[in-house]
Amino acid sequence: MSPVTIPEVEHAYPGSTGCPGCGANLVMRYLLKGLGERTILTIPACCWAVMPGYWPSHCLKVPMVYCAFEATGASLSGMRAALDMKGVEDVTVVGFAGDGGTVDIGLQALSGAAERETDALYVMYDNEAYMNTGIQRSGATPWGAWTATTPVGPSRDYKREPKKDIMSIMEAHGIPYAATVSVAHPEDFVKKAKKAKDVRGFKFIHALSPCPPGWKMNPMKTVEVARLAVDTNVFPLYEIENGRVRITKKGKGLPIKDYLSIQRRFGHLTEEEVKRMQESVDSSFKALEQREAREG
Amino acid sequence: MSRSYEDIPLTPISDTPSTMNMTGLWRVFRPVVDLDKCKKCTLCWKFCPDAAIVLVDGKPKIDLRYCKGCGICANECLAECIIMVKEEAE
């Protein structure tokens, strides 16, 4: 018996121009395995705007439209409306944007699409900075991280602001389905993508997408670091269905140091600072667990 | 007013599969598989970001025309049957 646990069909060709070990490539691969070929993507400026390949080549087997950086939400509403006019109902419209194009630049269009209750799926692949343009900090960069615009150096100017909580922002819009996914748990990922496809209304998926050049780590560690993010509760896997939270994959509860130590972007942190991060992760994970117990 | 697609301004459209991009040329380290040690766990196939691994009877066949040599397969392999070897100039 074959131990293959995710669909074998591929919706992308090899030859994409993503970096070796790119997490965003895995996000797209698992997402399309879950959604199937009846999918249309709209992609703003982000890593995936350059990753499909040099013109006239393209690595995806599904149609894809490039839109302006801030316009993913508007673009997917327009595509849904056009399909509705044509009477096409079996196609999933997907907005696929990076963290900068979601939590910073694309936030108003995203909020508008959620408010209009557009029947579409929005996927944010979160590599925690503007990686495509050279690792500048974004609203999704975590506290303590080095980036090109938060250089450490002798004055230790690492990022001093916490990561924007996009899941809470999206939940506040009252959307029917929101979930977090990780490239280290493809089965969970594919299951959530399939689920999101069948829900009517606006759906949101937050995918953690490790970036070897931006996180300053060995490309072979991409999946390992994504697994550690779940096991240290830095990035818990859960879904919010009609306002009820369910943790879908319990982490091992390892110390956050295990996650930080493979990434050189956190290499400058002192033990005191790591302890502070651990406390912050512990308290937010506890709040999530308590909420699950209350609602479950 | 009804307008046809012919009224839309010309737009560049990609029409060629990316298999024309030989990304294997980027590789610094080459994965070498010891098929005798392979336990058919298929994790290498599952975690390959470039879909450059196909399964033949449950065992990996790596397409070196596209493998960028990231090494995720070697890192994830349960049986430790994949090692990364440095490419040498020909």
Side-chain angles (χ1 to χ4, degrees), chain A residues 2 9 25 35 49 58 86 164 175 185 228:
Chain A
S2 161
V9 56
N25 247 338
L35 297 178
H58 204 270
K86 288 166 74 84
K164 211 185 263 190
I175 59 173
H185 298 282
L228 281 167

Side-chain angles (χ1 to χ4, degrees), chain B residues 8-79:
Chain B
I8 300 171
L10 281 177
T11 307
I13 293 175
S14 298
D15 57 3
T16 310
S18 60
T19 39
M20 67 181 264
N21 300 331
M22 296 298 160
T23 48
L25 295 170
W26 303 4
R27 199 170 50 242
V28 179
F29 293 95
R30 184 178 69 241
V32 177
V33 190
D34 183 349
L35 287 175
D36 293 335
K37 273 168 76 183
C38 175
K39 297 240 175 20
K40 299 188 183 182
C41 67
T42 70
L43 289 181
C44 52
W45 167 82
K46 191 159 80 174
F47 291 120
C48 177
D50 289 288
I53 300 181
V54 287
L55 294 173
V56 179
D57 189 27
K59 294 188 177 187
K61 188 168 180 294
I62 299 177
D63 192 337
L64 291 175
R65 291 173 302 167
Y66 303 110
C67 167
K68 295 169 187 163
C70 66
I72 291 179
C73 52
N75 197 53
E76 297 302 317
C77 177
L78 287 177

Side-chain angles (χ1 to χ4, degrees), chain A residues 128 142 208 215 225-226 228-230 232 234 255-263 265-266:
Chain A
E128 305 195 317
L208 186 70
W215 294 14
V225 83
L228 281 167
V230 175
T232 56
V234 172
I256 190 173
K257 216 175 150 203
D258 295 4
Y259 171 67
L260 303 180
S261 61
I262 358 184
Q263 307 170 52
R265 64 173 175 157
F266 292 115

Side-chain angles (χ1 to χ4, degrees), chain A residues 2 25 37 39 61 63 119 150-151 160 164 204 206 248:
Chain A
S2 161
N25 247 338
E37 59 175 2
T39 301
K61 296 181 191 172
D119 185 15
T150 52
R160 306 284 173 160
K164 211 185 263 190
F204 184 81
H206 179 186
T248 53

Side-chain angles (χ1 to χ4, degrees), chain A residues 78-102:
Chain A
M79 277 163 41
R80 185 70 258 168
L83 290 169
D84 288 347
M85 287 280 282
K86 288 166 74 84
V88 180
E89 283 176 1
D90 64 334
V91 169
T92 314
V93 176
V94 180
F96 193 83
D99 52 297
T102 303

Side-chain angles (χ1 to χ4, degrees), chain A residues 130-146:
Chain A
Y130 291 87
M131 297 311 186
N132 184 28
T133 47
I135 324 173
Q136 292 87 3
R137 93 191 259 292
S138 79
T141 305
W143 184 92
W146 167 93

